[in-house]
Amino acid sequence: MDFFGAQARAKRLTLWLVVLLVVAVLGMIAAAVAAVALAMLLLDGGQPGSSLLECALDPLLLGPVALGVLLVVGAGSLARHLQLRSGGAAVAEALGGRAINAATRDQDERRLLNVVEEMAIAAGLPVPPVYLLDEPGINAFAAGHTPQDAVIGVTRGAIRCLTRDELQGVVAHEFSHVLHGDMRLNLRLVALLYGILVIGLVGRMLLRGMATRRLVRSSRRGNGQAALLGAGLALMLVGFVGTLCGNLIKAAVSRQREFLADASAVQYTRNPTGLADALKRVAAHAHGSELRTGRAEEFSHLYFSRGLPGLRGLTATHPPLATRIRRLEPEWDGHFPEPRVEREEDIETGSSEGAGKARPAQATTLAASVSLPLAQTLPRRIGEPRGEDLRQARGALSSIDPVLFEAAHDPYAARAMIYGILMGAQPDSRTRQRELLVEAALPEVLAELERLDQPLGEVQPGQRLALIELCLPLLRQLSVAQYARFRDCLKRLMAAELEPGALQWALHRLIVVGSEGATFHRGHRQPLARREGAVARLLSSLALAGSDDEALAAEAFREAVDTLGLNVTLLTQPATLQELDWALDRCRQLNDDDRLRLLEAMVKCVAQDGRVHAEEAELLRAVAWSLGCPLPLAALNESGNGSFSPLGVQAVG
């Protein structure tokens, strides 16, 4: 599926969601007005008849009731939106999930983390935190507003009962929701529908409260009791209408996107059997995909499979399992496997097992004639990982020094590794940076930095991005005070750098945005013509980073800007970090078509000399990620010549 096309479809669905919500609210207002009018007629001793309509349309009744319903729905939606604004972690915690410790020794949990890490690095996304739900059913979900605040949640039943291939299919399905804008739509749906459900919850509370009170026989209190009973029943009626409308809306939005996520998961893994077998395991499992938490219904449209019984037909949030399986395996005979509690295979401990020393990265050598086809085909790979990306991600992780791989999963060592990666190559810069870290960093982090000094010195170009991505989940889990100290150390490191390069800046920005989240442009998208200065600064930095020869850099820059139709010149003065941040922020405001054109120009700029070194590929992927265009790991290697190295760069044949 086209990345930007999927994002646009998600936005259109949001508009339809608002329309459906308005229809649902109008239905609730009609039910509330009818209930109040009927109650008034009965309390006045009248008989319901033709006067019911006249009473319901009375402005003195219709206005206050409609306003009351709108206020309750609006307040409920706003309250839930504020509760979920922190992103996917709020959803996972509401469902009773706990964040899996990155350094866990539990084999099931370690295997799950490895699968998620491989998929994230293959897709060019930050590695999301993973939450475990202590539920026996087989289920999973992805939640968040953006890839930067996304989390993956998986049940205990899934990691115990699924093989690695089956689990990978489930995780790939959830990553499709991350890449195609489904998460943001789903959280908006949760917030909007909660307002609809609030009225029914209030009615239920009234009736429950009455059940705990003693009945009083006095006529006055008896009338009060009757009034409360009538109000509770009326609110329950309105709430029933709201619940029905909410379930219909969730079903309308969710079902087709589940088919699309299944198809995308097969594209990502090139293994339809893994996902199909996972669906069969759900059908054969004693607990199915059921979630027992009290909040399961509210988030039912987020799950990999239907998380609670009873939602069938028009209100089903997911297609039937048999239908999904047959789309993946048309020749399926309808037979489900025997239920199992434990996997029949040996548990894999993950990418770190058996990892050797990092192998040297080699430059990607391209014929000059392929730079144009690469620039044209690369945008189609944005947000669309494939089986080759996954294989390269697994190889890239296995090539990392085991000491560094373990450090990326330790809260102190991860911070130390980030500092080490960002420290400059010049001895004078590194000396000053170490002095500043001694003043600002925690002693435990400094001790880890000293321990990791040698393996960090042997890190090859092409590995830094993967190491940073592995560290991001831990950075996102730092306390406010811990992160403030970490952020201060980053600022000191960058300020002390004598000659900050474009790659160092891009990695620094990726760390900050990946741990804090991106601030997205809310206004109208801008055309390239209104961002000429920012584009010139960004492309100039890419051209100068790719060549020490100013003439060659100017040629690369000119070829890039010619494709954009811009009349700008190469900026030979090295850019400050603030200027690069400004340029990238302005470029992120471009419309989708122009961001694609800019990415094509960036690829031309990097590949103009016929070679894409690992550092250049790393820089390009980091900048593309910051532009909201995640590039899969193998995307730069699809020129058709040479063999693939495990570091995600193409080796010279």
Side-chain angles (χ1 to χ4, degrees), residues 464-478:
R464 288 166 293 202
L465 197 58
L467 287 171
I468 289 172
E469 290 175 317
L470 290 175
C471 293
L472 286 178
L474 285 174
L475 300 182
R476 288 170 55 181
Q477 294 171 10
L478 295 176

Side-chain angles (χ1 to χ4, degrees), residues 107-123 127-128 130 152 154 159 162-173 175 269 345 348-351 390 393-394 397 405 409 470:
Q107 291 182 321
D108 288 316
E109 295 177 2
R110 181 69 260 161
R111 187 177 62 122
L112 172 61
L113 290 180
N114 290 331
V115 170
V116 172
E117 289 166 356
E118 289 172 6
M119 183 58 64
I121 290 173
V127 177
V130 183
I152 300 293
V154 181
I159 64 174
L162 299 182
T163 67
R164 195 183 200 282
D165 282 348
E166 292 164 357
L167 189 60
Q168 189 177 75
V170 172
V171 170
H173 174 103
F175 265 84
T269 64
E345 62 183 79
E348 299 183 32
T349 57
S351 301
L390 200 56
R394 191 173 298 126
L397 290 174
F405 187 89
H409 298 87
L470 290 175

Side-chain angles (χ1 to χ4, degrees), residues 234-262:
L235 290 174
M236 285 288 289
L237 172 64
V238 177
F240 173 77
V241 174
T243 301
L244 178 61
C245 291
N247 288 336
L248 290 173
I249 291 173
K250 286 197 290 187
V253 171
S254 176
R255 277 181 295 192
Q256 190 60 33
R257 301 193 77 78
E258 292 302 315
F259 282 132
L260 294 176
D262 284 348

Side-chain angles (χ1 to χ4, degrees), residues 27-94:
M28 294 175 65
I29 290 174
V33 169
V36 173
L38 180 60
M40 290 179 63
L41 289 175
L42 292 176
L43 290 175
D44 288 342
Q47 297 297 323
S50 60
S51 60
L52 176 61
L53 180 61
E54 181 180 350
C55 181
L57 295 178
D58 185 348
L60 295 178
L61 173 64
L62 181 61
V65 171
L67 180 61
V69 171
L70 290 174
L71 287 176
V72 171
V73 171
S77 296
L78 178 61
R80 181 57 87 227
H81 171 74
L82 293 176
Q83 290 174 351
L84 297 177
R85 64 181 175 179
S86 60
V91 176
E93 291 167 4

Side-chain angles (χ1 to χ4, degrees), residues 440-639:
L442 291 172
E444 296 89 343
V445 176
L446 293 173
E448 291 293 335
L449 183 60
E450 187 68 27
R451 181 177 69 88
L452 298 175
D453 184 66
Q454 181 179 349
L456 281 173
E458 298 173 358
V459 168
Q460 299 297 322
Q463 291 183 324
R464 288 166 293 202
L465 197 58
L467 287 171
I468 289 172
E469 290 175 317
L470 290 175
C471 293
L472 286 178
L474 285 174
L475 300 182
R476 288 170 55 181
Q477 294 171 10
L478 295 176
S479 68
V480 174
Q482 289 172 333
Y483 186 76
R485 182 189 291 267
F486 172 73
R487 190 76 167 86
D488 179 60
C489 289
L490 291 184
K491 289 181 180 179
R492 290 169 181 252
L493 284 177
M494 299 304 289
E497 177 58 51
L498 296 178
E499 295 182 8
L503 177 59
Q504 190 181 19
W505 158 76
L507 295 178
H508 171 263
R509 185 178 176 98
L510 187 150
I511 292 164
V512 173
V513 175
S515 53
E516 294 181 359
T519 302
F520 284 88
H521 179 63
R522 301 290 184 182
H524 294 294
R525 293 288 183 178
Q526 301 297 323
L528 272 170
R530 300 187 63 179
R531 294 291 181 263
E532 282 189 347
V535 171
R537 171 53 67 193
L538 185 59
L539 291 179
S540 295
S541 298
L542 286 174
L544 293 171
S547 176
D548 295 330
D549 188 324
E550 188 172 316
L552 292 177
E555 185 179 349
F557 176 82
R558 177 50 52 196
E559 183 173 346
V561 298
D562 283 348
T563 64
L564 299 177
L566 300 179
N567 186 22
V568 293
T569 57
L570 177 69
L571 304 174
T572 57
Q573 185 69 22
T576 65
L577 300 180
Q578 292 75 20
E579 288 173 335
L580 288 171
D581 280 335
W582 169 83
L584 193 57
D585 287 335
R586 300 276 287 178
C587 290
R588 291 185 77 255
Q589 298 172 9
L590 293 171
N591 59 51
D592 291 345
D593 289 339
D594 283 341
R595 272 192 292 165
L596 281 175
R597 293 177 60 202
L598 176 59
L599 184 60
E600 291 177 10
M602 289 165 53
V603 175
K604 280 191 175 184
C605 191
V606 168
Q608 190 275 339
D609 61 353
R611 296 182 302 168
V612 180
H613 289 279
E615 288 186 350
E616 293 174 318
E618 218 167 26
L619 172 60
L620 184 59
R621 292 185 73 230
V623 174
W625 183 87
S626 295
L627 285 171
C629 304
L631 283 179
L633 188 60
L636 289 173
N637 299 327
E638 295 180 352
S639 60

